Coordinates of all heavy atoms in Angstrom, one line a residue:
V130 N -10.8 -5.2 39.3 CA -11.7 -5.9 40.3 C -11.2 -5.7 41.7 O -11.9 -5.4 42.7 CB -11.9 -7.4 40.0 CG1 -12.6 -8.1 41.1 CG2 -12.7 -7.5 38.7
V131 N -9.9 -5.9 41.9 CA -9.3 -5.8 43.2 C -9.4 -4.3 43.7 O -9.7 -4.0 44.9 CB -7.8 -6.2 43.2 CG1 -7.1 -5.9 44.5 CG2 -7.7 -7.7 42.9
A132 N -9.2 -3.4 42.8 CA -9.3 -1.9 43.1 C -10.7 -1.6 43.6 O -10.9 -0.9 44.6 CB -8.9 -1.1 41.9
Y133 N -11.7 -2.1 42.9 CA -13.1 -1.8 43.2 C -13.4 -2.4 44.6 O -14.2 -1.8 45.4 CB -14.0 -2.3 42.2 CG -15.5 -1.9 42.3 CD1 -15.9 -0.6 41.9 CD2 -16.4 -2.7 42.9 CE1 -17.2 -0.2 42.1 CE2 -17.7 -2.4 43.1 CZ -18.1 -1.1 42.7 OH -19.4 -0.7 42.8
W134 N -12.9 -3.6 44.9 CA -13.1 -4.3 46.1 C -12.5 -3.5 47.3 O -13.0 -3.5 48.4 CB -12.6 -5.7 46.0 CG -12.8 -6.5 47.3 CD1 -13.9 -6.9 47.9 CD2 -11.7 -7.0 48.2 NE1 -13.7 -7.6 49.0 CE2 -12.4 -7.7 49.2 CE3 -10.3 -6.9 48.1 CZ2 -11.6 -8.3 50.2 CZ3 -9.6 -7.5 49.2 CH2 -10.3 -8.2 50.2
T135 N -11.3 -2.9 47.1 CA -10.6 -2.2 48.1 C -11.1 -0.8 48.4 O -10.8 -0.2 49.4 CB -9.1 -2.1 47.8 OG1 -8.9 -1.3 46.7 CG2 -8.5 -3.5 47.7
L136 N -11.8 -0.2 47.4 CA -12.2 1.2 47.5 C -13.1 1.5 48.8 O -12.8 2.5 49.4 CB -13.0 1.6 46.3 CG -12.2 2.0 45.1 CD1 -13.1 2.2 43.8 CD2 -11.5 3.4 45.4
P137 N -14.1 0.7 49.1 CA -14.9 1.1 50.3 C -14.0 1.2 51.6 O -14.2 2.2 52.3 CB -15.9 -0.1 50.4 CG -16.0 -0.6 49.1 CD -14.7 -0.5 48.5
K138 N -13.1 0.3 51.8 CA -12.3 0.3 53.0 C -11.3 1.5 52.9 O -11.1 2.2 53.9 CB -11.5 -1.0 53.2 CG -10.8 -1.1 54.5 CD -11.8 -1.1 55.7 CE -11.1 -1.2 57.0 NZ -12.1 -1.1 58.2
G139 N -10.7 1.7 51.7 CA -9.8 2.8 51.6 C -10.5 4.2 51.8 O -9.9 5.1 52.5
I140 N -11.7 4.3 51.2 CA -12.4 5.6 51.4 C -12.8 5.8 52.9 O -12.7 6.9 53.4 CB -13.7 5.6 50.5 CG1 -13.2 5.6 49.1 CG2 -14.6 6.8 50.8 CD1 -14.4 5.4 48.1
E141 N -13.2 4.7 53.5 CA -13.6 4.7 55.0 C -12.4 5.2 55.8 O -12.6 6.0 56.7 CB -14.1 3.3 55.4 CG -14.5 3.3 56.9 CD -14.9 1.9 57.3 OE1 -15.1 1.1 56.5 OE2 -15.0 1.7 58.6
I142 N -11.2 4.7 55.5 CA -10.0 5.1 56.3 C -9.8 6.6 56.1 O -9.5 7.3 57.1 CB -8.8 4.3 55.9 CG1 -9.0 2.8 56.3 CG2 -7.5 4.8 56.5 CD1 -7.9 1.9 55.8
L143 N -9.8 7.1 54.9 CA -9.6 8.5 54.6 C -10.6 9.4 55.2 O -10.3 10.4 55.8 CB -9.5 8.7 53.1 CG -8.3 8.0 52.4 CD1 -8.4 8.2 50.9 CD2 -7.0 8.5 52.9
L144 N -11.9 9.0 55.1 CA -12.9 9.8 55.6 C -12.9 9.8 57.2 O -13.4 10.8 57.8 CB -14.3 9.3 55.2 CG -14.6 9.5 53.7 CD1 -16.0 8.9 53.3 CD2 -14.6 11.0 53.3
G145 N -12.3 8.8 57.7 CA -12.2 8.7 59.2 C -11.4 9.8 59.8 O -11.4 10.0 61.0
F146 N -10.5 10.4 59.0 CA -9.7 11.5 59.5 C -10.4 12.8 59.6 O -9.8 13.8 60.1 CB -8.4 11.6 58.6 CG -7.4 10.5 58.7 CD1 -7.4 9.5 57.8 CD2 -6.6 10.4 59.8 CE1 -6.5 8.5 57.9 CE2 -5.7 9.4 60.0 CZ -5.6 8.4 59.0
T147 N -11.6 12.9 59.2 CA -12.4 14.1 59.2 C -12.7 14.5 60.7 O -13.3 13.6 61.4 CB -13.7 14.0 58.4 OG1 -13.4 13.6 57.1 CG2 -14.4 15.3 58.4
P148 N -12.4 15.7 61.2 CA -12.7 16.0 62.5 C -14.2 16.0 62.8 O -15.0 16.1 61.9 CB -12.2 17.5 62.6 CG -11.1 17.6 61.6 CD -11.6 16.7 60.5
L149 N -14.5 15.8 64.1 CA -16.0 15.6 64.4 C -16.8 16.8 64.1 O -18.0 16.7 63.8 CB -16.1 15.2 65.9 CG -15.5 13.9 66.3 CD1 -15.6 13.7 67.8 CD2 -16.2 12.7 65.6
D150 N -16.2 18.0 64.2 CA -17.0 19.2 64.0 C -17.1 19.7 62.6 O -17.6 20.8 62.3 CB -16.4 20.4 64.9 CG -16.5 20.0 66.4 OD1 -17.4 19.3 66.7 OD2 -15.7 20.5 67.1
I151 N -16.5 18.9 61.6 CA -16.4 19.3 60.2 C -17.3 18.4 59.4 O -17.3 17.1 59.5 CB -14.9 19.2 59.7 CG1 -14.0 20.1 60.6 CG2 -14.9 19.6 58.3 CD1 -14.4 21.6 60.5
Q152 N -18.0 19.0 58.5 CA -18.8 18.2 57.5 C -18.0 18.0 56.2 O -17.5 19.0 55.6 CB -20.1 19.0 57.2 CG -21.0 18.4 56.1 CD -21.7 17.2 56.6 OE1 -22.1 17.1 57.7 NE2 -21.8 16.2 55.7
N153 N -17.8 16.8 55.8 CA -17.0 16.5 54.7 C -17.9 16.3 53.4 O -18.7 15.4 53.3 CB -16.2 15.1 54.9 CG -15.1 14.9 53.9 OD1 -15.2 15.4 52.8 ND2 -14.1 14.2 54.3
L154 N -17.8 17.3 52.6 CA -18.6 17.3 51.3 C -17.7 17.0 50.2 O -16.9 17.8 49.8 CB -19.3 18.7 51.1 CG -20.3 19.1 52.3 CD1 -20.8 20.5 52.0 CD2 -21.4 18.1 52.4
V155 N -17.8 15.8 49.6 CA -17.0 15.3 48.5 C -17.6 15.7 47.2 O -18.7 15.3 46.9 CB -16.7 13.8 48.7 CG1 -15.8 13.3 47.6 CG2 -16.2 13.5 50.0
E156 N -16.9 16.4 46.4 CA -17.4 16.8 45.0 C -17.3 15.6 44.1 O -16.2 14.9 44.1 CB -16.6 18.0 44.5 CG -16.8 19.2 45.3 CD -16.0 20.4 44.7 OE1 -15.4 20.2 43.6 OE2 -16.1 21.5 45.2
L157 N -18.4 15.3 43.4 CA -18.4 14.1 42.5 C -17.4 14.1 41.5 O -16.8 13.0 41.2 CB -19.9 14.0 41.9 CG -20.8 13.3 42.8 CD1 -22.3 13.5 42.3 CD2 -20.6 11.8 42.7
P158 N -17.0 15.2 40.8 CA -15.9 15.1 39.8 C -14.6 14.7 40.4 O -13.9 13.9 39.8 CB -15.8 16.6 39.3 CG -17.2 17.1 39.5 CD -17.7 16.5 40.8
D159 N -14.3 15.2 41.6 CA -13.1 14.7 42.3 C -13.2 13.3 42.7 O -12.2 12.5 42.6 CB -12.8 15.6 43.5 CG -12.5 17.0 43.2 OD1 -12.1 17.3 42.0 OD2 -12.7 17.9 44.0
Y160 N -14.3 12.8 43.1 CA -14.5 11.5 43.5 C -14.4 10.5 42.3 O -13.7 9.5 42.4 CB -15.9 11.3 44.1 CG -16.2 9.8 44.4 CD1 -15.7 9.1 45.4 CD2 -17.2 9.2 43.5 CE1 -16.0 7.8 45.6 CE2 -17.5 7.8 43.7 CZ -16.9 7.2 44.8 OH -17.2 5.8 45.0
L161 N -14.9 10.9 41.1 CA -14.8 10.1 39.9 C -13.3 10.0 39.5 O -12.8 8.9 39.2 CB -15.6 10.8 38.8 CG -15.4 10.1 37.4 CD1 -16.0 8.7 37.5 CD2 -16.1 10.9 36.3
D162 N -12.5 11.1 39.6 CA -11.1 11.0 39.3 C -10.4 10.1 40.2 O -9.5 9.3 39.8 CB -10.5 12.4 39.4 CG -11.0 13.4 38.3 OD1 -11.5 12.8 37.2 OD2 -10.9 14.6 38.4
F163 N -10.7 10.1 41.5 CA -10.1 9.3 42.5 C -10.4 7.8 42.2 O -9.5 7.0 42.2 CB -10.7 9.6 43.9 CG -10.2 8.7 45.0 CD1 -9.0 8.8 45.6 CD2 -11.1 7.7 45.4 CE1 -8.6 7.9 46.6 CE2 -10.7 6.8 46.4 CZ -9.5 7.0 47.0
V164 N -11.6 7.5 41.9 CA -12.0 6.1 41.6 C -11.3 5.6 40.3 O -10.7 4.5 40.3 CB -13.5 5.9 41.4 CG1 -13.9 4.5 40.9 CG2 -14.2 6.2 42.8
L165 N -11.3 6.4 39.3 CA -10.7 6.0 38.0 C -9.2 5.9 38.1 O -8.6 4.9 37.6 CB -11.0 7.0 36.9 CG -12.5 7.1 36.5 CD1 -12.7 8.1 35.4 CD2 -13.1 5.7 36.1
R166 N -8.5 6.8 38.8 CA -7.1 6.7 39.1 C -6.7 5.4 39.8 O -5.8 4.7 39.5 CB -6.5 7.9 39.8 CG -6.4 9.1 39.0 CD -5.4 10.1 39.5 NE -5.5 10.3 41.0 CZ -6.3 11.2 41.6 NH1 -7.0 12.0 40.8 NH2 -6.4 11.3 42.9
T167 N -7.5 5.1 40.8 CA -7.3 3.9 41.6 C -7.4 2.6 40.8 O -6.5 1.7 40.8 CB -8.3 3.8 42.8 OG1 -8.1 4.9 43.6 CG2 -8.0 2.6 43.6
M168 N -8.4 2.5 39.9 CA -8.6 1.4 39.1 C -7.5 1.3 38.0 O -7.0 0.2 37.8 CB -10.0 1.5 38.4 CG -11.2 1.3 39.3 SD -12.7 1.3 38.4 CE -13.9 0.8 39.7
L169 N -7.1 2.4 37.5 CA -6.1 2.4 36.5 C -4.7 2.0 37.1 O -4.0 1.2 36.4 CB -6.0 3.8 35.8 CG -4.9 3.9 34.7 CD1 -5.3 3.1 33.5 CD2 -4.8 5.4 34.2
V170 N -4.4 2.5 38.2 CA -3.2 2.1 38.9 C -3.1 0.6 39.2 O -2.1 0.0 38.9 CB -3.0 2.9 40.2 CG1 -1.9 2.3 41.0 CG2 -2.6 4.4 39.9

Side-chain angles (χ1 to χ4, degrees):
V130 170
V131 173
Y133 189 80
W134 180 66
T135 63
L136 275 171
K138 190 62 178 179
I140 294 172
E141 181 183 345
I142 292 173
L143 294 176
L144 293 177
F146 288 101
T147 306
L149 293 176
D150 298 331
I151 302 298
Q152 175 72 38
N153 196 332
L154 301 177
V155 181
E156 295 183 358
L157 270 164
D159 294 337
Y160 171 76
L161 176 64
D162 292 340
F163 172 81
V164 171
L165 294 181
R166 284 204 314 270
T167 302
M168 290 183 173
L169 183 62
V170 166

